[in-house]
Amino acid sequence: MSGWRIEARDPSDPAAVAAVAAYSAELDSLLGASSPTISDPRLDDYRAPGGTFLLVVSDDGAVLGCAGLRTIQTDAYGDVAEIKRMWVSPLLRGQGAGRALLERLHEETRHLGLGSVVLDSKRELHDARRLYLAAGYAEVGRYNDNADATVWMRLDLGVRRPTYAAVLLVDAEGRVLLQHRDEHAPRAPLQWGMVGGAVEAGESPEQAAYRELLEETGLAPASGELALWRSEAFAWSDGSMADYHLYVAPTAATDADVVLGEGLAIVFVTPDEIQALPLTESGEHFLTAFLGSPAYRALLG
Protein backbone atom coordinates (compact mmCIF):
# COMPACT_ATOMS: atom_id res chain seq x y z
CA MET A 1 0.00 0.00 0.00
CA SER A 2 1.40 3.41 -0.96
CA GLY A 3 1.08 6.46 1.28
CA TRP A 4 -2.15 8.41 1.61
CA ARG A 5 -3.37 11.91 2.34
CA ILE A 6 -6.60 13.71 3.21
CA GLU A 7 -7.70 16.55 0.96
CA ALA A 8 -10.79 18.68 0.42
CA ARG A 9 -12.70 18.21 -2.85
CA ASP A 10 -15.92 19.57 -4.28
CA PRO A 11 -18.70 17.03 -3.62
CA SER A 12 -19.45 16.91 -7.37
CA ASP A 13 -15.85 15.95 -8.22
CA PRO A 14 -15.83 12.55 -9.99
CA ALA A 15 -13.53 11.16 -7.31
CA ALA A 16 -15.97 12.27 -4.59
CA VAL A 17 -18.88 10.73 -6.47
CA ALA A 18 -16.93 7.47 -6.83
CA ALA A 19 -16.12 7.45 -3.11
CA VAL A 20 -19.78 7.89 -2.15
CA ALA A 21 -20.70 5.08 -4.55
CA ALA A 22 -18.13 2.79 -2.91
CA TYR A 23 -19.48 3.75 0.51
CA SER A 24 -23.04 2.97 -0.56
CA ALA A 25 -21.99 -0.34 -2.13
CA GLU A 26 -20.31 -1.46 1.09
CA LEU A 27 -23.39 -0.56 3.12
CA ASP A 28 -25.49 -2.56 0.66
CA SER A 29 -23.26 -5.60 1.19
CA LEU A 30 -23.45 -5.26 4.97
CA LEU A 31 -27.05 -4.18 5.52
CA GLY A 32 -28.98 -4.85 2.34
CA ALA A 33 -30.17 -2.18 -0.08
CA SER A 34 -29.24 1.28 1.22
CA SER A 35 -31.85 3.90 1.85
CA PRO A 36 -32.28 6.97 -0.40
CA THR A 37 -30.72 9.10 2.37
CA ILE A 38 -27.30 7.78 1.30
CA SER A 39 -27.45 9.90 -1.85
CA ASP A 40 -28.10 13.34 -0.41
CA PRO A 41 -28.86 15.66 -3.35
CA ARG A 42 -28.03 18.88 -1.44
CA LEU A 43 -24.42 19.10 -2.52
CA ASP A 44 -24.19 22.75 -1.48
CA ASP A 45 -24.40 21.56 2.14
CA TYR A 46 -20.87 20.20 1.70
CA ARG A 47 -19.39 23.38 0.27
CA ALA A 48 -18.07 26.52 1.95
CA PRO A 49 -19.07 28.44 3.91
CA GLY A 50 -21.14 25.89 5.82
CA GLY A 51 -19.45 22.60 5.07
CA THR A 52 -16.72 20.62 3.34
CA PHE A 53 -16.15 17.27 1.64
CA LEU A 54 -12.97 15.28 2.28
CA LEU A 55 -11.33 12.43 0.40
CA VAL A 56 -8.66 9.98 1.47
CA VAL A 57 -6.43 9.55 -1.58
CA SER A 58 -3.41 7.29 -2.06
CA ASP A 59 -0.17 8.61 -3.52
CA ASP A 60 -1.02 6.85 -6.79
CA GLY A 61 -4.45 8.52 -6.97
CA ALA A 62 -6.73 5.77 -5.69
CA VAL A 63 -9.74 6.95 -3.66
CA LEU A 64 -9.65 5.17 -0.30
CA GLY A 65 -12.13 7.07 1.83
CA CYS A 66 -14.44 10.05 2.17
CA ALA A 67 -16.47 12.11 4.61
CA GLY A 68 -18.83 15.03 4.37
CA LEU A 69 -19.40 17.75 6.95
CA ARG A 70 -22.33 20.15 6.96
CA THR A 71 -23.88 22.68 9.32
CA ILE A 72 -27.36 21.85 10.59
CA GLN A 73 -29.68 23.28 13.22
CA THR A 74 -30.97 21.03 15.98
CA ASP A 75 -33.54 21.64 18.70
CA ALA A 76 -31.34 20.14 21.40
CA TYR A 77 -27.92 21.59 20.51
CA GLY A 78 -28.49 24.57 18.23
CA ASP A 79 -26.16 24.87 15.22
CA VAL A 80 -23.82 21.89 14.98
CA ALA A 81 -21.64 20.16 12.40
CA GLU A 82 -22.97 16.84 11.12
CA ILE A 83 -20.76 14.09 9.71
CA LYS A 84 -22.19 12.24 6.71
CA ARG A 85 -20.91 9.55 4.33
CA MET A 86 -17.82 8.69 6.38
CA TRP A 87 -16.09 5.70 4.82
CA VAL A 88 -12.60 4.19 4.71
CA SER A 89 -11.74 1.44 2.24
CA PRO A 90 -11.02 -2.02 3.69
CA LEU A 91 -7.61 -1.70 1.98
CA LEU A 92 -6.69 1.08 4.42
CA ARG A 93 -8.32 -0.05 7.65
CA GLY A 94 -6.04 -0.58 10.61
CA GLN A 95 -3.61 2.11 9.43
CA GLY A 96 -5.06 5.05 11.37
CA ALA A 97 -6.92 6.57 8.44
CA GLY A 98 -10.31 6.51 10.13
CA ARG A 99 -9.07 8.35 13.21
CA ALA A 100 -7.09 10.81 11.08
CA LEU A 101 -10.17 11.51 8.96
CA LEU A 102 -12.27 12.03 12.09
CA GLU A 103 -9.70 14.42 13.58
CA ARG A 104 -9.65 16.39 10.34
CA LEU A 105 -13.45 16.66 10.52
CA HIS A 106 -13.14 18.01 14.07
CA GLU A 107 -10.60 20.55 12.86
CA GLU A 108 -12.93 21.63 10.06
CA THR A 109 -15.78 21.91 12.59
CA ARG A 110 -13.77 24.36 14.66
CA HIS A 111 -13.01 26.40 11.56
CA LEU A 112 -16.73 26.58 10.87
CA GLY A 113 -17.01 28.26 14.27
CA LEU A 114 -18.93 25.33 15.77
CA GLY A 115 -18.28 23.53 19.04
CA SER A 116 -20.28 20.33 18.61
CA VAL A 117 -20.35 17.43 16.13
CA VAL A 118 -23.21 14.97 15.61
CA LEU A 119 -23.76 11.94 13.42
CA ASP A 120 -26.30 9.20 12.87
CA SER A 121 -25.55 5.59 12.03
CA LYS A 122 -26.78 2.05 12.37
CA ARG A 123 -26.15 0.00 15.48
CA GLU A 124 -25.05 -2.93 13.31
CA LEU A 125 -22.00 -0.97 12.10
CA HIS A 126 -19.88 -2.09 15.05
CA ASP A 127 -16.46 -0.95 13.75
CA ALA A 128 -17.75 2.56 13.08
CA ARG A 129 -19.33 2.83 16.52
CA ARG A 130 -16.08 1.68 18.16
CA LEU A 131 -14.17 4.39 16.29
CA TYR A 132 -16.58 7.10 17.42
CA LEU A 133 -16.71 5.91 21.03
CA ALA A 134 -12.89 5.78 21.18
CA ALA A 135 -12.79 9.39 19.97
CA GLY A 136 -15.08 10.49 22.82
CA TYR A 137 -18.50 10.46 21.18
CA ALA A 138 -21.51 9.62 23.33
CA GLU A 139 -24.83 8.20 22.27
CA VAL A 140 -27.66 10.74 22.43
CA GLY A 141 -31.35 10.87 21.62
CA ARG A 142 -32.63 11.28 18.09
CA TYR A 143 -31.77 14.75 16.74
CA ASN A 144 -33.13 14.33 13.20
CA ASP A 145 -35.87 12.57 11.24
CA ASN A 146 -33.66 10.06 9.42
CA ALA A 147 -35.83 6.93 9.47
CA ASP A 148 -32.84 4.82 8.35
CA ALA A 149 -30.74 5.57 11.45
CA THR A 150 -30.84 3.55 14.68
CA VAL A 151 -28.14 5.32 16.70
CA TRP A 152 -27.25 9.00 17.17
CA MET A 153 -23.99 10.33 18.61
CA ARG A 154 -22.48 13.65 19.63
CA LEU A 155 -19.08 15.06 20.60
CA ASP A 156 -18.62 18.39 22.39
CA LEU A 157 -15.35 19.89 21.19
CA GLY A 158 -15.36 22.41 24.03
CA VAL A 159 -14.61 25.53 21.96
CA ARG A 160 -16.47 27.39 19.25
CA ARG A 161 -13.33 28.77 17.60
CA PRO A 162 -10.01 26.92 17.50
CA THR A 163 -7.33 28.13 19.89
CA TYR A 164 -3.70 27.26 19.26
CA ALA A 165 -0.54 27.51 21.33
CA ALA A 166 2.74 27.70 19.41
CA VAL A 167 6.34 27.77 20.64
CA LEU A 168 9.25 29.57 19.00
CA LEU A 169 12.56 28.35 20.44
CA VAL A 170 15.65 30.31 19.34
CA ASP A 171 19.18 28.90 19.60
CA ALA A 172 22.42 30.82 20.12
CA GLU A 173 22.86 31.29 16.35
CA GLY A 174 19.41 32.82 15.95
CA ARG A 175 17.85 29.77 14.36
CA VAL A 176 14.18 29.04 15.08
CA LEU A 177 12.79 25.56 15.73
CA LEU A 178 10.23 24.72 13.01
CA GLN A 179 8.20 21.70 11.95
CA HIS A 180 7.90 20.18 8.48
CA ARG A 181 4.28 19.00 8.46
CA ASP A 182 3.44 15.61 7.00
CA GLU A 183 0.83 14.72 4.38
CA HIS A 184 -1.83 14.05 7.05
CA ALA A 185 -1.76 17.54 8.58
CA PRO A 186 -5.32 18.98 8.72
CA ARG A 187 -4.10 22.23 7.21
CA ALA A 188 -1.17 23.00 4.93
CA PRO A 189 0.21 19.45 4.52
CA LEU A 190 3.90 19.21 3.58
CA GLN A 191 4.50 22.86 4.45
CA TRP A 192 6.63 24.29 7.25
CA GLY A 193 5.17 25.87 10.36
CA MET A 194 5.53 26.45 14.05
CA VAL A 195 5.74 23.80 16.73
CA GLY A 196 2.46 23.63 18.66
CA GLY A 197 -1.17 22.68 18.39
CA ALA A 198 -4.70 23.04 19.64
CA VAL A 199 -5.48 24.06 23.21
CA GLU A 200 -7.57 21.28 24.71
CA ALA A 201 -10.71 21.72 26.80
CA GLY A 202 -9.88 22.69 30.40
CA GLU A 203 -6.31 23.64 29.46
CA SER A 204 -4.71 27.09 29.44
CA PRO A 205 -2.71 28.20 26.38
CA GLU A 206 0.47 28.15 28.48
CA GLN A 207 -0.18 24.58 29.59
CA ALA A 208 -0.85 23.63 25.98
CA ALA A 209 2.42 25.22 24.86
CA TYR A 210 4.49 23.08 27.26
CA ARG A 211 2.48 19.94 26.44
CA GLU A 212 2.67 20.37 22.68
CA LEU A 213 6.39 21.10 22.80
CA LEU A 214 7.03 17.94 24.80
CA GLU A 215 4.77 15.77 22.62
CA GLU A 216 6.21 17.02 19.33
CA THR A 217 9.90 17.41 20.23
CA GLY A 218 10.63 15.73 23.56
CA LEU A 219 11.93 19.07 24.87
CA ALA A 220 10.73 20.07 28.35
CA PRO A 221 11.75 23.57 29.48
CA ALA A 222 11.25 24.36 33.15
CA SER A 223 8.04 26.06 34.23
CA GLY A 224 8.23 29.77 33.51
CA GLU A 225 10.87 29.53 30.78
CA LEU A 226 8.37 30.06 27.97
CA ALA A 227 7.35 33.71 27.73
CA LEU A 228 4.14 34.86 26.03
CA TRP A 229 5.11 36.96 23.03
CA ARG A 230 1.79 37.51 21.27
CA SER A 231 -1.91 36.61 21.45
CA GLU A 232 -3.81 37.33 18.24
CA ALA A 233 -6.85 36.29 16.24
CA PHE A 234 -5.62 35.02 12.87
CA ALA A 235 -7.71 34.76 9.69
CA TRP A 236 -6.80 32.34 6.90
CA SER A 237 -7.38 33.16 3.26
CA ASP A 238 -10.54 31.00 3.25
CA GLY A 239 -12.09 33.26 5.90
CA SER A 240 -11.86 30.85 8.86
CA MET A 241 -10.29 32.14 12.06
CA ALA A 242 -8.41 30.92 15.11
CA ASP A 243 -6.93 32.43 18.26
CA TYR A 244 -3.16 32.05 18.51
CA HIS A 245 -0.98 32.31 21.62
CA LEU A 246 2.74 32.31 20.85
CA TYR A 247 5.41 31.57 23.44
CA VAL A 248 9.14 32.18 22.96
CA ALA A 249 12.35 31.21 24.72
CA PRO A 250 16.08 30.89 24.11
CA THR A 251 17.40 27.34 24.09
CA ALA A 252 20.66 25.43 24.22
CA ALA A 253 19.00 22.46 22.51
CA THR A 254 20.22 21.24 19.13
CA ASP A 255 18.66 19.18 16.35
CA ALA A 256 20.18 16.10 18.00
CA ASP A 257 18.15 16.76 21.16
CA VAL A 258 14.82 16.75 19.32
CA VAL A 259 12.79 13.56 19.55
CA LEU A 260 10.44 13.74 16.56
CA GLY A 261 6.88 13.15 17.73
CA GLU A 262 4.92 14.60 14.83
CA GLY A 263 5.52 15.61 11.23
CA LEU A 264 8.33 14.82 8.83
CA ALA A 265 11.03 16.82 10.63
CA ILE A 266 11.53 19.34 13.43
CA VAL A 267 14.81 21.25 13.10
CA PHE A 268 16.39 24.64 13.76
CA VAL A 269 16.24 26.93 10.71
CA THR A 270 18.07 30.19 10.00
CA PRO A 271 16.10 33.35 9.12
CA ASP A 272 17.43 33.23 5.55
CA GLU A 273 16.37 29.60 5.19
CA ILE A 274 12.93 30.41 6.61
CA GLN A 275 12.30 32.91 3.81
CA ALA A 276 12.89 30.19 1.21
CA LEU A 277 10.62 27.56 2.80
CA PRO A 278 7.02 26.83 1.78
CA LEU A 279 5.43 28.17 4.98
CA THR A 280 1.91 27.72 6.28
CA GLU A 281 -0.20 30.88 6.18
CA SER A 282 -0.04 31.30 9.95
CA GLY A 283 3.65 30.45 9.98
CA GLU A 284 4.46 33.09 7.39
CA HIS A 285 2.41 35.69 9.24
CA PHE A 286 3.81 35.11 12.70
CA LEU A 287 7.40 34.26 11.77
CA THR A 288 7.74 37.42 9.67
CA ALA A 289 6.51 39.48 12.61
CA PHE A 290 8.65 37.60 15.13
CA LEU A 291 11.94 37.82 13.19
CA GLY A 292 11.49 41.59 12.91
CA SER A 293 10.54 42.07 16.54
CA PRO A 294 12.45 43.30 19.60
CA ALA A 295 11.54 40.00 21.26
CA TYR A 296 13.59 38.05 18.71
CA ARG A 297 16.55 40.44 19.00
CA ALA A 298 16.43 40.14 22.79
CA LEU A 299 16.68 36.35 22.55
CA LEU A 300 19.91 36.72 20.58
CA GLY A 301 21.51 38.26 23.67
Side-chain angles (χ1 to χ4, degrees), residues 87-110:
W87 168 75
V88 173
S89 167
L91 297 174
L92 200 54
R93 288 174 196 166
Q95 300 184 44
R99 186 58 187 262
L101 185 56
L102 198 56
E103 290 177 353
R104 172 67 178 269
L105 290 165
H106 297 164
E107 187 81 3
E108 296 292 340
T109 296
R110 293 185 179 99

Side-chain angles (χ1 to χ4, degrees), residues 33-253:
S34 60
S35 86
T37 59
I38 298 304
S39 301
D40 192 327
R42 298 185 299 274
L43 294 185
D44 280 346
D45 288 357
Y46 306 102
R47 295 183 173 117
T52 190
F53 197 86
L54 304 176
L55 288 183
V56 182
V57 183
S58 71
D59 290 343
D60 56 10
V63 177
L64 299 173
C66 65
L69 192 73
R70 63 181 181 181
T71 301
I72 65 170
Q73 188 175 57
T74 64
D75 293 336
Y77 313 114
D79 288 346
V80 298
E82 184 183 38
I83 295 173
K84 302 291 287 186
R85 304 171 173 178
M86 181 159 167
W87 168 75
V88 173
S89 167
L91 297 174
L92 200 54
R93 288 174 196 166
Q95 300 184 44
R99 186 58 187 262
L101 185 56
L102 198 56
E103 290 177 353
R104 172 67 178 269
L105 290 165
H106 297 164
E107 187 81 3
E108 296 292 340
T109 296
R110 293 185 179 99
H111 287 292
L112 291 173
L114 301 171
S116 183
V117 192
V118 297
L119 59 90
D120 60 29
S121 185
K122 280 187 173 291
R123 197 165 295 278
E124 300 94 320
L125 299 175
H126 302 296
D127 290 344
R129 288 184 62 243
R130 278 194 289 269
L131 172 66
Y132 299 135
L133 290 170
Y137 283 76
E139 290 194 22
V140 296
R142 176 186 287 272
Y143 66 81
N144 61 19
D145 58 359
N146 183 2
D148 197 43
T150 56
V151 63
W152 296 263
M153 307 185 82
R154 175 177 177 264
L155 176 67
D156 185 354
L157 296 176
V159 292
R160 296 190 64 83
R161 189 162 78 181
T163 301
Y164 296 109
V167 179
L168 299 172
L169 294 184
V170 179
D171 70 8
E173 298 179 17
R175 300 180 301 175
V176 182
L177 191 65
L178 297 183
Q179 180 193 68
H180 189 190
R181 299 160 69 84
D182 64 23
E183 67 273 23
H184 306 309
R187 274 182 176 263
L190 302 178
Q191 294 184 326
W192 287 79
M194 302 172 290
V195 172
V199 178
E200 297 179 352
E203 185 180 49
S204 71
E206 183 177 16
Q207 290 170 329
Y210 282 95
R211 175 184 54 76
E212 287 284 342
L213 183 63
L214 179 62
E215 291 176 356
E216 295 186 3
T217 71
L219 300 177
S223 178
E225 287 189 20
L226 298 181
L228 179 64
W229 167 61
R230 176 174 291 191
S231 294
E232 180 180 321
F234 175 76
W236 281 272
S237 58
D238 65 5
S240 58
M241 295 188 67
D243 295 316
Y244 271 84
H245 302 273
L246 292 99
Y247 294 82
V248 302
T251 185

Side-chain angles (χ1 to χ4, degrees), residues 194 229-230 232-235 246 279-290:
M194 302 172 290
W229 167 61
R230 176 174 291 191
E232 180 180 321
F234 175 76
L246 292 99
L279 296 173
T280 65
E281 287 188 69
S282 57
E284 181 175 8
H285 173 78
F286 288 114
L287 285 166
T288 299
F290 176 62

